[in-house]
Amino acid sequence: MNVTLKIWRQKNAQAKGKFKTYPLQDVSPEMSVLEMLDYLNMQLIEKGDAPVAFEHDCREGICGTCGLYINGRPHGPMRNTTTCELHMRAFKDGEIIYIEPWRARAFPVLKDLIVDRSSFERIMHTAGFISINTGSAPEANSTPVSKIIADKAFDAAVCIGCGACVAACKNSSAMLYAAAKIAQYAMIPQGKVEAKERVDKMVRQMDAEGFGFCSNTYGCEFDCPKGISVDFIALMNREFFSSKVCKQKHK
Amino acid sequence: MALAGIFLMLFLVSHLLTNLLMLAGDEGKAFDQAVELLGHPAVKIVEYILFAAFLVHILLGVLLQLINYNARPVKYKKAPRTEISTFSRYMFHTGVIILVFLVIHLINFFFVRLGWAPLPEYAEHSHDFRSMAVVLFQNPWYSGFYVVCMLFLGFHLKHAFQSAFQSLGLNHTKYTPAIKIIGTLYAIFISVGFAIIPVYFLFFYSS
Amino acid sequence: MQQLNSKIPEGPLADKWSRYKASLRLVSPANKKKLEIIVVGTGLAGASAASALGELGYKVKAFCFQDSPRRAHSVAAQGGINAAKNYKNDNDSIYRLFFDTIKGGDYRAREANVYRAAEVSNLVIDHYTALGVPFARDYGGALDTRSFGGVQVSRTFYAKGQTGQQCLLGAYSSLTRQIAKGTVKMFSRRDMLDLVIVEGKARGIITRNLVSGELERHSAHAVVLATGGYGTVFYLSTLGLGSNASAAWNAHKKGALFANPSFIQIHPTSIPVLNDYQCKLTLMSESLRNDGRVWVSKEKGDKRHPTEIPEEERDYYLERKYPAFGNLVPRDVASRAAKERCDAGYGAGDSGLSVYLDFKDAIDAHGKKAIQDKYGNLFEMYEKITGINPYNQPMRIYPAGHYTMGGLWVDYNLMTTIPGLFAIGESNFSDHGANRLGANSLMQCSGDGYFILPNTIGDYLADEIRTGKIPTDQQPFKEAEKGVEEKIQKFMAIGGRKSASSFHKRLGKIMWDHCGMRRDAEGLQKGKELLNELEEEFWKDLRIPGNDREINQELEKAFKVADFFEVGRLMCEDAIQREESCGAHFREEHQTETGEAKRDDKNFAYVAAWEYKGHREKPDMHKEPLRFEHVEIKERSYK
């Protein structure tokens, strides 16, 4: 199949970017989108042009590195699919495919399709953990956790940190990302100990990073490649209010 | 935002129920009695709270919109295709329309009561909202504008109702689906309820 | 070269570690604050080590090439993590986990190291649970386990098919906590391009900042490599595309011995190659073989649609050849059997390089729902990639490079032959012998990082408390940086026509054909020659567009590919000297009459540790004899 690619090219963080058009012939429908870009890059390199910079690693939908905004949607037109899992058979022969980077103040573009997601890291740095030192863990079965709760915590824990929720949100809000981690820990007994402080710190950092606010459009859930539910955002909100109301002041 | 919104939604219910008294067929007696209550000190307090709620809701709405707009300084070049409900996408826009309506609405009614706007000659006194309404609604342009605004109010509320629950974290696998249905019914009830009044006065009422 | 001293403590097997630990020297909290440790790699081993060392009070600098530590390829492990908890009351024990690992590794691993890994496995599960890792649970609220990878007990803890992800995120969270506390300083988007040795000790690294392109010098009192395996030498593998051998190889070139490089596990159930530009093979969990039946057509070159091939014309070759274990034979056996059928011309698909994995019988017997509950996510993944619905027609699978048992040689302290340089996780060689058992890699990486290294490194650092801060303006740092800079300029100056990936792809093909699942002396020699030829072409015809002071992914790849030529040659060298078949290493010349691996315990029960002697120079081999005092060496049989 043949396709026409319109790809965002931007030399570096300071440069102004623009779309460049690349007609691409003999694309196999069996190729993933990233393999299609490899194929394009190989041709560009042989011609002496600069290849398109994009990030990727595991290419099986679990590391969260890849993330392209394809035809108006993060990770492209298929639901519950990361860019690396998206195959060219999802497109029509002759189709024009627009590929852009994630766009958000908190995700500045570094080059072409690569963005800096360190704002996500800084949210985690505030409290995205359970404070237990190596060696001080109790025997694993000493704290029973209901299977229903454990399964639910797992559903929140599957976040791959790709940033599609921010890219999909019309407000560039990172609520789903933060909520997934907060909810995972808030539900299980191990994480409850610090739950109140955690939600407070993480939400504050999220706001400081320049993400937008949630207006409950649920675009994040629609485009989350792991199908994480906005129910966790509600749970985070609940935690947040109860922390505001209940948290005692430290002397 | 959500808390103020919930208060406003409660207010809308009471406002609508009061207004519907105009259609009671008693030449507005019940309605006038209800209006009398506005002078009660307790209602006065609620009125101040209401003002605060409006102010908070509007200011926060504008502030959030600014922050949200700024959170993506470079927009996508290809129009987003993430599927989200139209109601939720245009909350700010419907909000602005409602705000415009609110201003006109206040000038027409509330400011008269406060004496900030001149008393129209057809009204008996500053509390004679029914007469004011009857005259205004018999103007098809005004009624049309009113009905359209109520439609947008309905759109706003359709998303607002369940959104408020979500924002407050009042989410439950069992009850949330019901809340969504109730939200839709509520939005229809409010917008249709308010819209009936001008329609009635325009087409079915003769003094 | 010094004699290899594995420092395995004396005494009964079960007491070795606890006695040894008690004899290790300590560093006082006040002194720990003065000591710096570099940890390269933030996968399960690196993240756990960095966080545990940070908790102890050392000043840790952690490095990864990804934008976040959470993306290391440990994230992709699917099946589970083993521990000897015996929660199922099925008579499991530390000894049994140790025994299964030694046996599974075809008696080419060190007893003491393996026993220790089994011993700390229980602590690992306790720790992850406390960190909030959502392992599967049963209705009573206790942790669930399953049987995995051909062992007879249920000792595998799991979180659906994403155990690696969940464990890594657990380790990442503990690392994050130390970053927040300031005990660990995180350097992401950095490639380690050289190791710095000062007066015989590992003292630092040279990194390239992948965003700015600047070279940086980092110093420390000890360097820990947790940089994973070199399976991407095959180009097509189940590994992440960024995985590479360069950090370990730099260390090797600076004097660290590299052990058993030819031991690479080929996983039998990956999705086959579907197009020419594919650069990654996706793994389908081994657990699928519990219910799926593997077959090919009895007719050569059969191009019929699989559903049109009638039952009597199908060859269920695993069941035919290994009636006792059938479809559940270990990975190496299943992989070789698939290759044998395909090489003989019976393979499925257009390329003839795949076999069928059929669920029809299982669906008929248990119903679609039951299969869906067990493998739903895997079936979805298969359909996403291939566009084929495996409920209606059989999957196609083929073996793919997966895990490297070989790696940097380390002693019982996990220290390489360079003082102060430690290697943990997949980057060392120590625990899996010639073949790794399923769910043992997460166990080893976590054990090394959380519970072993933090103890043993203290013994080394006890001598460093008077060293003081190590300046980076010393000559060795300058020289190392200059060497890297020269190499960069050399790459940039080639100005040829071909991309680094195109060379990598050809390199991978050479390795797969000549040093893959089945090897022979002639082919291995040939492989070495082909590598030499390709390497020459590489240095003449490589093109790297752009410049080196910006994001330049082609330059990053060039470093990796350049090292893989050397890694590949060493793998061939190692495979040539090992005149036996064991585990993943299968020499055509050494097989039984029925075509099974034939081990030679008399002559080859040793670890081959290679010393670098220069580019294209023949490396020196050092032998570390393996002594088996607690297990009886037996032939593996799955008939």
Side-chain angles (χ1 to χ4, degrees):
Chain A
M1 61 195 273
N2 302 330
V3 291
T4 303
L5 300 170
K6 290 195 181 281
I7 298 178
W8 187 258
R9 302 301 306 259
Q10 182 171 337
K11 200 160 169 31
N12 52 47
Q14 292 77 37
K16 246 182 98 88
K18 61 168 193 295
F19 273 114
K20 266 190 100 170
T21 307
Y22 301 95
L24 195 61
Q25 270 94 47
D26 298 325
V27 175
S28 159
E30 301 288 321
M31 283 179 183
S32 72
V33 167
L34 298 186
E35 281 158 6
M36 184 269 296
L37 288 175
D38 291 338
Y39 175 55
L40 170 72
N41 276 348
M42 203 194 66
Q43 296 182 4
L44 291 177
I45 293 167
E46 281 170 7
K47 270 197 286 181
D49 290 344
V52 179
F54 63 94
E55 278 195 295
H56 58 90
D57 191 37
C58 78
R59 298 226 181 179
E60 54 181 280
I62 195 77
C63 74
T65 311
C66 68
L68 303 177
Y69 197 78
I70 301 168
N71 281 353
R73 277 184 63 190
H75 295 301
M78 307 269 284
R79 289 195 71 181
N80 300 321
T81 304
T82 58
T83 304
C84 60
E85 293 173 304
L86 180 66
H87 280 65
M88 290 306 290
R89 65 180 89 86
F91 300 92
K92 289 191 292 285
D93 190 19
E95 191 166 343
I96 299 171
I97 303 170
Y98 289 81
I99 304 180
E100 297 177 68
W102 286 173
R103 295 194 193 276
R105 177 178 294 280
F107 287 168
V109 174
L110 293 175
K111 183 179 185 177
D112 294 345
L113 304 171
I114 301 179
V115 298
D116 177 2
R117 285 172 288 201
S118 52
S119 46
F120 265 13
E121 295 300 296
R122 289 187 292 271
I123 294 175
M124 285 300 164
H125 291 169
T126 57
F129 44 77
I130 291 171
S131 302
I132 183 110
N133 277 347
T134 311
S136 50
E139 209 285 328
N141 263 350
S142 60
T143 315
V145 182
S146 119
K147 179 173 164 57
I148 294 157
I149 297 291
D151 287 352
K152 214 153 177 223
F154 176 86
D155 290 342
V158 295
C159 170
I160 56 174
C162 64
C165 45
V166 175
C169 177
K170 75 178 182 66
N171 309 332
S172 310
S173 170
M175 293 280 271
L176 192 62
Y177 169 77
K181 189 51 55 184
I182 288 167
Q184 177 199 345
Y185 291 152
M187 283 185 277
I188 53 173
Q190 289 87 350
K192 281 209 164 101
V193 182
E194 301 163 276
K196 300 253 179 300
E197 287 80 11
R198 181 180 301 115
V199 66
D200 194 39
K201 286 181 186 165
M202 286 179 73
V203 168
R204 220 177 310 162
Q205 186 63 30
M206 184 170 70
D207 295 345
E209 291 292 344
F211 291 104
F213 288 93
C214 182
S215 59
N216 301 332
T217 67
Y218 311 141
C220 52
E221 179 183 280
F222 184 78
D223 272 337
C224 172
K226 296 293 147 186
I228 295 173
S229 164
V230 293
D231 291 356
F232 296 123
I233 296 183
L235 196 150
M236 172 173 77
N237 291 338
R238 188 158 70 231
E239 286 288 316
F240 184 73
F241 287 123
S242 76
S243 103
K244 283 280 170 229
V245 176
C246 310
K247 203 173 82 176
Q248 302 234 7
K249 268 196 180 152
H250 287 293
K251 284 229 168 113
Chain B
M1 193 81 193
L3 283 173
I6 286 178
F7 188 80
L8 295 178
M9 285 193 280
L10 289 173
F11 158 71
L12 281 176
V13 174
S14 76
H15 189 355
L16 175 59
L17 292 178
T18 315
N19 282 10
L20 287 176
L21 290 178
M22 283 194 269
L23 312 182
D26 58 355
E27 287 300 310
K29 270 200 200 105
F31 178 73
D32 287 341
Q33 277 169 3
V35 171
E36 292 284 305
L37 280 175
L38 290 177
H40 194 277
V43 179
K44 277 272 177 236
I45 293 169
V46 177
E47 208 167 62
Y48 285 120
I49 299 174
L50 177 66
F51 260 110
F54 263 118
L55 216 58
V56 166
H57 194 74
I58 292 164
L59 289 180
L60 271 182
V62 172
L63 183 69
L64 291 183
Q65 178 69 10
L66 282 176
I67 292 172
N68 289 346
Y69 188 82
N70 262 311
R72 180 166 292 145
V74 182
K75 307 292 169 206
Y76 288 112
K77 307 301 169 217
K78 178 84 184 160
R81 286 190 193 169
T82 297
E83 276 176 37
I84 59 175
S85 79
T86 316
F87 306 112
S88 69
R89 191 191 302 271
Y90 296 113
M91 280 305 271
F92 181 74
H93 308 77
T94 49
V96 169
I97 293 169
I98 295 163
L99 179 62
V100 169
F101 168 79
L102 185 69
V103 171
I104 295 171
H105 189 68
L106 287 178
I107 292 172
N108 286 342
F109 297 94
F110 191 69
F111 286 8
V112 175
R113 188 179 127 213
L114 293 182
W116 296 1
L119 185 69
E121 65 270 22
Y122 45 77
E124 286 170 23
H125 51 80
S126 64
H127 284 64
D128 187 9
F129 294 138
R130 187 166 177 278
S131 305
M132 300 182 214
V134 169
V135 175
L136 283 171
F137 287 149
Q138 283 181 337
N139 176 347
W141 290 107
Y142 189 86
S143 282
F145 167 74
Y146 191 97
V147 170
V148 169
C149 286
M150 288 309 109
L151 198 64
F152 282 113
L153 176 65
F155 290 165
H156 198 78
L157 293 174
K158 156 84 174 85
H159 179 69
F161 192 89
Q162 57 90 19
S163 181
F165 282 86
Q166 167 84 4
S167 292
L168 294 175
L170 301 171
N171 182 296
H172 195 280
T173 44
K174 234 194 272 177
Y175 306 122
T176 298
I179 287 171
K180 287 192 176 168
I181 294 168
I182 293 168
T184 309
L185 294 176
Y186 169 82
I188 295 171
F189 169 65
I190 295 288
S191 66
V192 172
F194 275 114
I196 286 175
I197 299 167
V199 171
Y200 173 79
F201 283 118
L202 186 61
F203 296 112
F204 305 104
Y205 180 78
S206 54
S207 51
Chain C
M1 186 69 213
Q2 75 276 34
Q3 264 318 97
L4 284 180
N5 180 2
S6 59
K7 299 200 178 132
I8 293 173
E10 294 303 315
L13 186 65
D15 297 340
K16 277 183 201 276
W17 175 232
S18 50
R19 281 200 204 175
Y20 184 71
K21 233 165 35 137
S23 75
L24 290 171
R25 289 173 299 165
L26 300 172
V27 179
S28 76
N31 283 327
K32 280 186 183 132
K33 275 186 262 174
K34 296 183 209 154
L35 293 171
E36 293 186 285
I37 303 173
I38 283 173
V39 179
V40 186
T42 56
L44 217 46
S48 55
S51 57
L53 293 169
E55 287 164 18
L56 287 173
Y58 293 110
K59 279 168 83 175
V60 181
K61 297 181 214 174
F63 294 80
C64 69
F65 68 79
Q66 299 91 343
D67 68 325
S68 160
R70 66 181 294 157
R71 312 207 193 280
H73 202 63
S74 304
V75 82
Q78 296 174 347
I81 175 166
N82 283 338
K85 285 281 195 187
N86 192 29
Y87 281 164
K88 282 275 158 80
N89 194 28
D90 52 4
N91 198 7
D92 194 13
S93 63
I94 291 170
Y95 181 83
R96 217 180 273 280
L97 173 52
F98 151 78
F99 177 81
D100 286 343
T101 305
I102 287 279
K103 179 187 169 213
D106 224 359
Y107 304 96
R108 292 294 173 266
R110 258 192 219 147
E111 275 192 344
N113 284 53
V114 175
Y115 193 89
R116 178 175 65 181
E119 203 177 332
V120 299
S121 67
N122 291 343
L123 297 174
V124 169
I125 297 300
D126 294 343
H127 191 53
Y128 280 138
T129 306
L131 281 172
V133 171
F135 287 124
R137 289 179 183 266
D138 60 29
Y139 286 95
L143 292 168
D144 193 20
T145 53
R146 64 183 171 195
S147 153
F148 193 77
V151 294
Q152 290 155 307
V153 290
S154 292
R155 62 161 74 101
T156 305
F157 294 80
Y158 63 101
K160 289 206 178 143
Q162 282 144 267
T163 320
Q165 182 201 23
Q166 292 310 319
C167 289
L168 181 65
L169 292 181
Y172 163 73
S173 75
S174 67
L175 173 62
T176 295
R177 175 167 163 249
Q178 294 310 309
I179 295 172
K181 277 191 166 176
T183 58
V184 176
K185 193 162 168 15
M186 186 67 223
F187 297 86
S188 50
R189 295 190 195 269
R190 301 296 202 291
D191 251 348
M192 166 182 161
L193 294 179
D194 207 358
L195 175 75
V196 182
I197 295 182
V198 181
E199 289 161 3
K201 289 176 176 173
R203 286 302 196 200
I205 58 172
I206 305 293
T207 59
R208 182 168 175 271
N209 180 322
L210 300 182
V211 177
S212 69
E214 302 291 331
L215 296 183
E216 304 162 334
R217 303 172 193 175
H218 299 279
S219 68
H221 298 86
V223 176
V224 179
L225 296 186
T227 51
Y230 46 92
T232 41
V233 71
F234 290 128
Y235 185 64
L236 283 164
S237 78
T238 63
L239 273 77
L241 265 68
S243 303
N244 66 84
S246 292
W249 196 255
N250 287 324
H252 176 57
K253 281 161 90 168
K254 287 273 167 103
L257 300 193
F258 208 102
N260 297 338
S262 68
F263 288 171
I264 290 203
Q265 182 169 75
I266 311 290
H267 198 288
T269 53
S270 107
I271 300 176
V273 177
L274 299 170
N275 76 79
D276 246 10
Y277 290 90
Q278 200 164 329
C279 51
K280 154 84 189 185
L281 295 170
T282 302
L283 193 69
M284 287 278 100
S285 170
E286 183 165 27
S287 59
L288 289 171
R289 285 195 286 144
N290 287 331
D291 283 293
R293 294 179 74 195
V294 178
W295 61 273
V296 290
S297 171
K298 282 181 181 167
E299 197 181 302
K300 268 192 192 183
D302 194 341
K303 292 291 169 223
R304 280 179 292 177
H305 193 270
T307 51
E308 287 165 11
I309 302 176
E311 192 61 33
E312 58 279 8
E313 291 173 38
R314 298 177 176 190
D315 176 14
Y316 294 91
Y317 60 89
L318 286 178
E319 295 167 27
R320 171 169 60 80
K321 283 163 96 172
Y322 309 100
F325 277 70
N327 295 297
L328 292 172
V329 290
R331 290 176 178 178
D332 52 339
V333 178
S335 294
R336 276 197 295 274
K339 182 174 160 59
E340 189 274 326
R341 282 290 85 189
C342 294
D343 288 351
Y346 295 94
D350 289 336
S351 60
L353 287 176
S354 62
V355 299
Y356 294 116
L357 179 61
D358 203 333
F359 293 88
K360 189 174 177 303
D361 291 345
I363 291 171
D364 289 348
H366 309 295
K368 188 174 163 185
K369 174 89 177 54
I371 297 299
Q372 200 165 9
D373 285 349
K374 265 186 175 165
Y375 310 113
N377 57 340
L378 291 167
F379 276 42
E380 264 172 44
M381 189 158 126
Y382 184 84
E383 187 169 0
K384 243 182 238 173
I385 291 170
T386 63
I388 288 164
N389 180 348
Y391 291 105
N392 302 334
Q393 73 180 69
M395 285 185 181
R396 285 202 294 130
I397 52 162
Y398 197 64
H402 180 56
Y403 184 91
T404 50
M405 284 74 69
L408 292 171
W409 185 91
V410 290
D411 61 18
Y412 195 65
N413 289 330
L414 302 179
M415 189 159 84
T416 67
T417 48
I418 298 174
L421 179 70
F422 294 78
I424 55 174
E426 192 181 348
S427 71
N428 74 28
F429 86 104
S430 70
D431 293 0
H432 306 295
N435 178 48
R436 178 177 64 75
L437 280 190
N440 260 1
S441 64
L442 297 183
M443 170 188 91
Q444 182 227 341
C445 290
S446 319
D448 280 4
Y450 277 124
F451 296 103
I452 300 171
L453 180 82
N455 291 301
T456 60
I457 203 169
D459 192 58
Y460 172 80
L461 290 171
D463 287 332
E464 296 288 339
I465 52 175
R466 284 173 201 87
T467 309
K469 192 163 170 59
I470 295 156
T472 55
D473 53 3
Q474 305 178 75
Q475 202 53 32
F477 278 93
K478 286 183 188 160
E479 275 165 26
E481 187 185 310
K482 194 162 152 259
V484 173
E485 185 62 48
E486 279 168 7
K487 199 166 174 188
I488 290 175
Q489 296 317 324
K490 198 172 158 195
F491 280 131
M492 302 303 293
I494 301 172
R497 292 166 302 157
K498 295 190 187 115
S499 67
S501 298
S502 71
F503 284 103
H504 193 179
K505 188 175 173 183
R506 288 161 67 195
L507 185 161
K509 179 93 171 62
I510 294 173
M511 293 308 293
W512 184 253
D513 289 344
H514 298 278
C515 193
M517 274 179 280
R518 301 171 77 93
R519 302 151 172 185
D520 60 55
E522 200 188 330
L524 289 163
Q525 281 298 351
K526 176 94 177 132
K528 263 168 58 183
E529 285 158 26
L530 290 171
L531 286 177
N532 289 347
E533 284 168 27
L534 188 64
E535 190 183 32
E536 271 157 35
E537 191 185 329
F538 172 82
W539 284 103
K540 276 193 209 120
D541 208 11
L542 175 73
R543 165 154 30 204
I544 299 175
N547 72 64
D548 61 304
R549 288 292 186 266
E550 60 175 9
I551 294 180
N552 191 330
Q553 295 174 316
E554 290 304 306
L555 180 61
E556 294 166 30
K557 285 182 204 160
F559 270 100
K560 295 168 188 171
V561 178
D563 288 333
F564 275 134
F565 286 111
E566 297 194 81
V567 174
R569 270 196 298 267
L570 188 67
M571 283 172 64
C572 292
E573 204 67 64
D574 186 49
I576 289 169
Q577 66 80 27
R578 193 167 280 279
E579 293 272 2
E580 64 160 350
S581 295
C582 63
H585 170 67
F586 187 87
R587 283 286 298 267
E588 299 283 2
E589 301 94 324
H590 304 285
Q591 49 181 313
T592 62
E593 282 153 21
T594 50
E596 297 307 317
K598 202 162 127 194
R599 227 175 44 225
D600 180 353
D601 294 317
K602 203 159 144 265
N603 297 308
F604 290 94
Y606 62 74
V607 175
W610 296 88
E611 183 183 352
Y612 188 76
K613 285 289 183 189
H615 184 71
R616 299 254 183 127
E617 300 293 326
K618 194 170 169 53
D620 270 357
M621 188 180 76
H622 302 259
K623 286 185 190 177
E624 182 205 334
L626 291 168
R627 268 182 291 274
F628 294 95
E629 291 159 357
H630 304 88
V631 292
E632 191 192 341
I633 300 191
K634 276 192 183 146
E635 194 190 322
R636 285 199 308 165
S637 171
Y638 298 96
K639 299 255 171 196

